[in-house]
Amino acid sequence: MSAEPTPSRPALGLPPRRTAAPAAEAPLARMLPGHRPEAPKKADPKEAELTNMTVSIPAALRNRARAAYRATSYAEGDNTWSHFVVKAIEAETTRREAEHNGGEMYPSWGENLPGGRRLKD
């Protein structure tokens, strides 16, 4: 047997390797270095950024609040329990700002609050 291909029988195997880069309009050209589109920049954190919060409240108050939420969530437009709690905290915060700070918002304070009860004089 000879290793030379005959005109009636094509040579089997891999096709010859291309040396030129694919054209820019090739479907996968965007994956090549230098042809990748710029990644969209991440937006700055907004005020609507959510965070978790853990508090301890009396069980009777929690049950009362849950009952009020279940009974009135549709009428008040509360989407979730979290939405109900956010509205309650916002209402109390607005009340305190109006009463103690002339209706102005207090500056944001990202530090941890001290834990435990306050010491009495």
Side-chain angles (χ1 to χ4, degrees):
M1 286 193 128
S2 122
E4 298 177 273
T6 60
S8 62
R9 295 175 61 195
L12 300 176
L14 296 174
R17 177 178 259 177
R18 282 194 266 175
T19 57
E25 59 273 352
L28 299 178
R30 68 182 183 279
M31 299 177 95
L32 294 172
H35 295 282
R36 295 181 182 146
E38 289 188 32
K41 295 180 180 177
K42 290 190 173 191
D44 293 332
K46 298 183 176 144
E47 290 181 30
E49 183 178 328
L50 300 177
T51 186
N52 291 331
M53 182 173 87
T54 303
V55 297
S56 299
I57 62 172
L61 176 58
R62 185 202 64 175
N63 293 339
R64 182 175 153 210
R66 289 176 67 176
Y69 164 74
R70 288 183 61 119
T72 62
S73 63
Y74 181 76
E76 294 289 329
D78 299 325
N79 300 327
T80 62
W81 168 249
S82 293
H83 186 231
F84 172 81
V85 172
V86 167
K87 283 174 49 178
I89 292 173
E90 187 173 14
E92 179 62 13
T93 302
T94 302
R95 184 193 70 78
R96 288 182 182 207
E97 288 169 342
E99 187 172 327
H100 301 286
N101 201 31
E104 298 293 321
M105 291 175 57
Y106 287 103
S108 181
W109 192 43
E111 298 177 19
N112 290 336
L113 294 172
R117 291 183 284 171
R118 289 186 181 172
L119 297 175
K120 296 194 178 193
D121 293 330

